[in-house]
């Protein structure tokens, strides 16, 4: 490695040119990366709902109804005009209303009251709209312009359109705020006014290169797009901080700048690579998920960390060598205290902290497994947002409702009638739009209007559009999906198909819950293996992984004990991200402990370790926490907001455990660590006294 670093240091201009060219190319490429906000697009190929959607798109010219539009204070005649206006909007494939199920020309009092109130109630008209997925944003905006803010719209198409527009604005806002805050943190924890600019600039280059290189994927998920840059900044900032501190240590020893940089790189390579590789592994574990948002984020973020490592090892040393004279000129008095006193506080608190830690392991592990989860997109907007308020108002007026489409092989109208009769007996099924329900099995297809017929009958399938009074997801909804599928199987074996938000969410739940244990086990095992190799110890990986995993369990058990729900995607992602991101702090502290332990007794080693590592740990943890808080507070997308909340809280918990529990575990297990670590040379006061006495005797003789 030394020869490689010498080459970097001796070819500084080449390095600068290469990175400048990369920045320009990647800046252009980043504008061409597409972002997908529809979670259903990330279901594994071959799941029942995915096959159903693909088949329906081939067989029919329209999708599943995906929006509900409520217009208040409107008469029947005006509602019919509104229906036509909605139908005329480009991107609207179909609008279903009362006139599709009853004859609105005759007095409504003669019709079934429950049927009427599914569409028209207390002067409110509820239209079921099918929006083309390729023009969701434009179509949703046009509908909003037509009905005005005083009326309501909700549904998966609306959720996706609003999320797309809001998240784009919010990501820019987060970046705009996080940069000055990170600079402020770095100004406080550094000793020069130039260092923070170099640190942030280096990671900024890495983020830009990563964003541009995402073009190789064509399209990335909204989670990767929104959280990727913030996570990369927060997670990889500590690599450059570790290198900077090593460089300053070498220079304080009197080494010339180039030699100091080469030595700093050689000495910090092991700890930085260990930190980087564990983070890469944490993200890479997501690649093994069948739910495709996992691989999407895993590949992009593993690539992001690798790019950050390359930038830190190649670009940052060159920048430091160019700017160190200016760094020296702009040095200021340290704004943070000497943490020796903090080390003495840790000595007093670490054993009680370890005891509390041990007590929390089992209940938090159990608690985080018992959370209530949301799997789909139905709860991504709170009632603080317009779409959340609209959804709540529609549900208060007309109740909870969504649509499922059951497709069965065409031809046997008698069998379809029997199936429809059984479906009508399910309490949650409020209405069915199908050939046998609306035209009747006895009516020849030649007598039915072709536009209506094409909505229900295709070349190979007959389509039944079910309106069900239920949430888009939840235990009762999932039971309903199972019940409908069992009826489909009863009449048509494996030839029936069920599509819809609830069916997709059911499959999503079934898929990602199976992913969890496998992904976590592989992430933990891989991190353990990296630590085993880099630390050359059996005991240290156990201590570090247990410490960070317990921080994760505490973080994820809090919603259970507080009675709150979790988005399963956020739960799944944070499990690996928190491990990969915060185990760095544990590695830094432990590596320095092992280094100092060679020359000092273990109590003094703890104090000196805390004195030399606390600033680096707090700097990195502060930035990661701030990034999480901003994502939590600014994002209106529930998944992203909760991911930020979990990230911020998880970082704080991991930092507390690293600063108070791990020192205690190292202290208690000191002898075990020495015996289970290859090449460990711990300071031994008794041996030193004996050697000193032997030396004195020899000198006397």
């Amino acid at each position: 490695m030394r020869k490689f670093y010498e080459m970097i240091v001796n070819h500084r201009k080449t390095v600068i040119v290469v990175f400048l060219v990369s920045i320009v190319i990647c800046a252009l490429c980043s504008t061409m990366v597409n972002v997908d906000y529809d979670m259903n697009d990330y279901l594994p190929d071959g799941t029942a709902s995915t096959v159903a959607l693909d088949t329906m798109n081939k067989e029919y010219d329209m999708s599943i109804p995906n929006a509900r539009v409520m217009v208040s204070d409107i008469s029947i005649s005006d509602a019919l005009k509104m229906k036509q206006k909605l139908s005329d909007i480009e991107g609207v494939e179909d609008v279903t209303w009362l006139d599709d199920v009853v004859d609105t020309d005759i007095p409504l009092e003669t019709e079934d009251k429950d049927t009427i109130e599914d569409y028209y109630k207390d002067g409110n008209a509820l239209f079921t709209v099918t929006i083309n997925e390729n023009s969701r944003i434009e179509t949703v905006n046009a509908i909003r312009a037509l009905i005005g803010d005083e009326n309501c719209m909700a549904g998966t198409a609306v959720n996706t359109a609003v999320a797309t527009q809001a998240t784009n604005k919010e990501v820019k806002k987060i970046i705009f705020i996080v940069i000055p805050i990170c600079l402020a943190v770095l100004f406080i924890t550094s000793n020069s006014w130039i260092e923070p600019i170099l640190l942030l600039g280096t990671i900024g280059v890495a983020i830009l290169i990563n964003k541009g290189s995402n073009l190789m994927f064509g399209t990335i998920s909204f989670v990767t797009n929104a959280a990727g840059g913030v996570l990369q900044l927060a997670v990889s900032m500590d690599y450059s901080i570790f290198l900077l501190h090593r460089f300053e240590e070498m220079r304080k020893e009197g080494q010339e700048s180039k030699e100091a940089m080469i030595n700093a790189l050689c000495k910090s390579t092991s700890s930085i690579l260990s930190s980087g590789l564990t983070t890469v592994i944490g993200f890479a574990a997501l690649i093994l998920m069948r739910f495709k948002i996992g691989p999407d984020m895993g590949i992009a973020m593993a690539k992001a960390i690798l790019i950050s490592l390359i930038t830190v090892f190649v670009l940052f040393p060159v920048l430091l060598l160019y700017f160190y004279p200016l760094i020296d000129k702009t040095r200021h008095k340290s704004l943070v205290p000497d943490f020796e006193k903090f080390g003495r506080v840790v000595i007093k608190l670490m054993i009680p902290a370890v005891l509390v830690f041990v007590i929390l392991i089992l209940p938090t592990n159990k608690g985080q497994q018992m959370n209530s989860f949301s799997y789909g997109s139905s709860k991504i907007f709170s009632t603080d947002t317009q779409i959340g308020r609209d959804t709540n108002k529609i549900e208060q007026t007309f109740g909870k409702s969504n649509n499922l489409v059951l497709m069965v092989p065409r031809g046997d109208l008698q069998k379809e009638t029997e199936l429809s009769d059984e479906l009508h007996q399910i309490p949650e099924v409020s209405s069915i739009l199908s050939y046998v329900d609306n035209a009747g099995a006895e009516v020849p297809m030649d007598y039915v209007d072709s536009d209506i017929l094409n909505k229900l009958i295709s070349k190979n399938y007959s389509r039944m559009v079910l309106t069900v009074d239920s949430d888009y997801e939840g235990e009762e909804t999932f039971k309903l999906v199972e019940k409908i599928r069992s009826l489909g199987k009863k009449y048509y074996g494996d030839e029936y198909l069920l599509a819809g938000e609830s069916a997709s969410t059911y499959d999503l739940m079934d898929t990602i819950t199976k992913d969890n244990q496998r992904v976590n086990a592989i992430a933990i095992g891989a991190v353990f293996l990296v630590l085993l190799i880099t630390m050359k110890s059996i005991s240290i990986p156990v201590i570090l992984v247990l410490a960070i995993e317990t921080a994760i369990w505490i973080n994820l058990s809090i919603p259970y004990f507080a009675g709150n729900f979790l988005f399963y995607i956020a739960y799944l992602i944070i499990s690996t991200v928190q491990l990969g991101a915060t185990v760095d702090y544990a590695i830094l502290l432990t590596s320095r402990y092992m280094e100092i332990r060679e020359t000092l007794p273990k109590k003094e080693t703890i104090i000196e370790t805390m004195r030399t590592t606390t600033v680096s740990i707090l700097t990195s943890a502060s930035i990661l926490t701030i990034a999480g808080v901003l994502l939590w507070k600014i994002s209106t997308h529930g998944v992203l907001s909760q991911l930020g909340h979990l990230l911020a809280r998880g970082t704080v918990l991991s930092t507390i455990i690293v600063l108070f529990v791990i020192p205690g575990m190292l202290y208690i297990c000191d002898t075990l660590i020495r015996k289970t670590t290859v090449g460990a040379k711990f300071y031994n006061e008794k041996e030193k006294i004996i050697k000193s006495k032997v030396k004195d005797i020899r000198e006397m003789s």
Side-chain angles (χ1 to χ4, degrees):
M1 290 300 291
R2 188 175 187 86
K3 287 184 178 180
F4 173 75
Y5 294 140
E6 287 174 351
M7 184 180 70
I8 295 297
V9 167
N10 292 327
H11 294 83
R12 283 173 274 178
K13 290 183 180 179
T14 304
V15 169
I16 294 295
V17 169
V18 169
F19 273 92
L20 283 175
V21 172
S22 300
I23 289 169
V24 172
I25 293 172
C26 290
L28 292 173
C29 291
S30 65
T31 62
M32 295 183 274
V33 180
N34 296 317
V35 181
D36 191 343
Y37 290 82
D38 191 343
M39 284 195 285
N40 291 331
D41 289 344
Y42 291 91
L43 277 169
D45 297 329
T47 57
S49 56
T50 303
V51 172
L53 284 170
D54 290 342
T55 304
M56 189 173 69
N57 290 334
K58 292 175 184 176
E59 294 280 333
Y60 297 91
D61 292 332
M62 66 177 64
S63 307
I64 300 170
N66 50 18
R68 302 170 84 195
V69 177
M70 186 178 83
V71 181
S72 302
D73 300 321
I74 192 170
S75 65
I76 295 291
S77 59
D78 287 340
L80 289 169
K81 293 176 184 176
M82 177 60 73
K83 178 186 176 183
Q84 187 58 50
K85 289 179 182 178
L86 287 169
S87 300
D88 291 339
I89 292 174
E90 188 174 350
V92 172
E93 295 180 347
D94 187 47
V95 181
T96 302
W97 192 58
L98 183 62
D99 60 315
D100 291 300
V101 292
V102 301
D103 187 350
T104 54
D105 292 329
I106 64 175
L108 297 183
E109 292 78 7
T110 63
E111 300 289 347
D112 180 67
K113 182 181 178 183
D114 290 338
T115 301
I116 301 297
E117 290 189 347
D118 281 340
Y119 300 93
Y120 189 72
K121 185 178 181 181
D122 301 330
N124 300 294
L126 182 65
F127 305 93
T128 301
V129 183
T130 304
I131 295 172
N132 188 300
E133 294 182 357
N134 296 321
S135 59
R136 276 182 291 222
I137 295 176
E138 297 81 5
T139 306
V140 167
N141 289 342
I143 293 173
R144 175 60 72 188
L146 173 64
I147 67 173
D149 290 338
E150 66 276 10
N151 291 306
C152 306
M153 57 193 303
T156 56
V158 184
N159 286 347
T160 303
V162 172
T164 303
Q165 296 175 95
T167 305
N168 283 333
K169 295 176 183 176
E170 289 161 4
V171 168
K172 293 175 183 176
K173 186 177 180 181
I174 290 168
I175 295 296
F176 183 76
I177 296 173
V178 79
I179 290 174
I181 292 178
C182 287
L183 274 174
V185 170
L186 292 170
F187 279 135
I188 292 170
T189 56
S190 67
N191 295 316
S192 167
W193 301 115
I194 298 298
E195 286 177 1
I197 298 171
L198 294 179
L199 289 166
L200 203 59
T202 300
I203 301 304
V205 168
I207 292 171
L208 185 56
I209 292 173
N210 185 59
K211 275 186 169 290
S213 63
N214 283 337
L215 184 61
M216 70 174 72
F217 308 129
T219 300
I220 59 173
S221 72
F222 69 94
V223 178
T224 304
N225 181 61
V230 175
L231 282 174
Q232 187 179 358
L233 168 67
V235 169
S236 56
M237 178 65 75
D238 51 356
Y239 309 151
S240 48
I241 292 172
F242 296 167
L243 178 58
L244 174 63
H245 289 174
R246 277 291 188 181
F247 177 59
E248 289 178 344
E249 286 177 16
M250 297 299 104
R251 290 188 64 213
K252 284 178 181 177
E253 292 177 6
Q255 297 180 20
E256 184 267 332
S257 58
K258 284 175 63 174
E259 187 63 24
M261 177 53 69
I262 293 168
N263 288 333
L265 284 163
C266 291
K267 287 202 169 188
S268 59
T269 295
S270 178
S271 59
I272 293 176
L273 277 182
S274 296
S275 299
L277 286 175
T278 52
T279 308
V280 167
I281 287 167
F283 284 117
L286 296 174
I287 297 170
L288 301 170
M289 288 173 61
R290 291 173 63 233
F291 181 48
K292 294 178 185 176
I293 278 183
D296 178 275
M297 187 175 191
I299 294 170
M301 288 308 302
K303 172 171 64 69
I305 303 306
L306 288 172
I307 290 172
S308 291
L309 285 170
I310 292 169
T311 307
V312 167
F313 282 126
V314 179
L315 178 64
F316 190 53
V318 171
L319 293 177
L320 281 178
L321 288 174
Y322 273 124
F323 286 97
Y324 81 87
L326 189 57
I327 291 173
D328 291 343
K329 288 179 182 178
T330 58
R331 289 205 176 276
H332 59 78
K333 187 178 179 181
S334 177
L335 300 177
V336 293
D338 187 324
F339 280 91
E340 182 178 344
K341 289 182 180 179
F342 176 71
R344 298 189 184 281
V345 171
V346 169
I347 288 289
K348 293 178 181 178
L349 297 178
M350 63 185 184
I351 303 303
V354 171
L355 292 175
V356 173
F357 169 83
V358 171
I359 291 169
L360 289 174
I361 291 175
L362 288 179
T364 56
N365 180 293
K366 189 68 175 175
Q368 60 93 24
Q369 298 175 37
M370 297 174 68
N371 277 297
S372 297
F373 296 109
S374 173
Y375 299 92
S377 61
S378 61
K379 297 181 181 179
I380 61 173
F381 290 105
S382 70
T383 52
D384 295 333
T385 61
Q386 182 179 29
I387 187 172
R389 290 190 295 271
D390 281 6
T391 302
N392 191 44
K393 191 173 180 180
I394 290 173
E395 289 181 352
Q396 285 180 348
T397 306
F398 287 95
K400 295 176 179 179
S401 177
N402 76 87
N403 295 98
L404 290 163
V405 174
L406 183 62
M407 292 184 292
V408 298
R410 66 172 287 180
D412 192 336
L413 295 180
Q414 182 59 39
K415 189 185 288 189
E416 286 181 41
T417 302
E418 292 174 11
L419 172 59
S420 177
D421 290 341
E422 285 212 49
L423 288 169
H424 276 294
Q425 292 175 20
I426 299 175
E428 293 88 352
V429 176
S430 59
S431 66
I432 300 175
L433 183 63
S434 70
Y435 186 86
V436 295
D437 281 277
N438 294 80
E442 66 281 356
V443 178
M445 291 185 184
D446 293 339
Y447 288 88
V448 179
D449 181 85
S450 60
D451 289 339
I452 297 174
L453 187 66
N454 290 337
K455 291 180 183 180
L456 302 175
I457 305 294
S458 72
K459 181 180 179 181
N460 300 300
Y461 287 92
S462 180
R463 191 168 94 138
M464 301 175 133
V465 181
L466 283 64
T467 300
V468 295
D469 298 330
S470 72
D471 281 324
Y472 285 100
E473 62 176 294
E475 187 176 344
E476 294 303 317
T477 303
F478 293 152
K479 287 180 180 177
L480 175 62
V481 170
E482 290 173 351
K483 195 178 296 183
I484 294 170
R485 281 179 168 171
S486 68
L487 284 176
K489 191 175 184 67
K490 174 182 175 182
Y491 284 92
Y492 293 94
D494 294 330
E495 294 183 314
Y496 80 94
L497 296 167
L498 183 67
E501 181 71 11
S502 294
S504 295
T505 305
Y506 180 95
D507 289 342
L508 186 63
M509 176 270 297
D510 191 47
T511 297
I512 60 181
T513 49
K514 290 176 181 177
D515 283 337
N516 185 34
Q517 290 184 344
R518 184 179 71 255
V519 171
N520 279 344
I522 292 171
I524 292 168
V527 168
F528 184 92
L529 185 60
V530 169
L531 293 175
L532 184 70
I533 294 168
T534 55
M535 294 288 189
K536 298 176 182 176
S537 172
I538 296 174
S539 54
I540 290 176
V542 173
I543 292 169
L544 302 194
V545 171
L546 178 62
I548 301 302
E549 274 299 307
T550 303
I552 294 170
W553 296 336
I554 295 171
N555 186 23
L556 293 176
S557 67
I558 288 173
Y560 167 71
F561 292 115
N564 300 323
F565 79 92
L566 281 175
F567 288 102
Y568 202 90
I569 297 172
Y571 170 82
L572 194 59
I573 290 173
I574 201 65
S575 297
T576 53
V577 169
Q578 187 179 339
L579 172 64
T582 62
V583 76
D584 295 0
Y585 314 152
I587 292 170
L588 173 65
L589 185 141
T590 305
S591 298
R592 194 56 66 94
Y593 175 88
M594 297 296 287
E595 186 180 320
I596 296 170
R597 186 68 180 88
E598 294 181 9
T599 58
L600 290 174
K602 58 183 182 179
K603 267 195 177 181
E604 285 74 8
T605 297
I606 294 290
I607 294 169
E608 183 62 16
T609 299
M610 303 314 296
R611 188 187 71 78
T612 56
T613 61
T614 301
V615 172
S616 295
I617 292 169
L618 289 180
T619 301
S620 180
S622 297
I623 292 170
L624 189 55
T625 303
I626 289 165
V629 168
L630 290 175
L631 193 61
W632 168 28
K633 292 297 184 181
I634 293 175
S635 181
T636 54
H637 194 294
V639 173
L640 298 175
S641 178
Q642 192 172 86
L643 184 60
H645 189 181
L646 292 170
L647 180 65
R649 187 171 64 208
T651 303
V652 171
L653 289 167
S654 289
T655 304
I656 291 170
I657 285 176
V658 167
L659 293 178
F660 290 95
V661 175
I662 289 181
M665 295 173 78
L666 294 174
Y667 183 86
I668 293 168
C669 301
D670 185 82
T671 303
L672 176 65
I673 291 170
R674 179 173 59 81
K675 291 180 178 179
T676 57
T677 303
V678 176
K681 297 177 182 177
F682 283 11
Y683 173 90
N684 189 309
E685 195 167 357
K686 290 181 180 179
E687 288 181 5
K688 187 177 180 182
I689 292 170
I690 292 170
K691 287 179 180 178
S692 177
K693 288 182 178 179
V694 170
K695 185 180 178 182
D696 291 341
I697 291 170
R698 287 176 178 173
E699 287 176 353
M700 288 175 64
S701 61

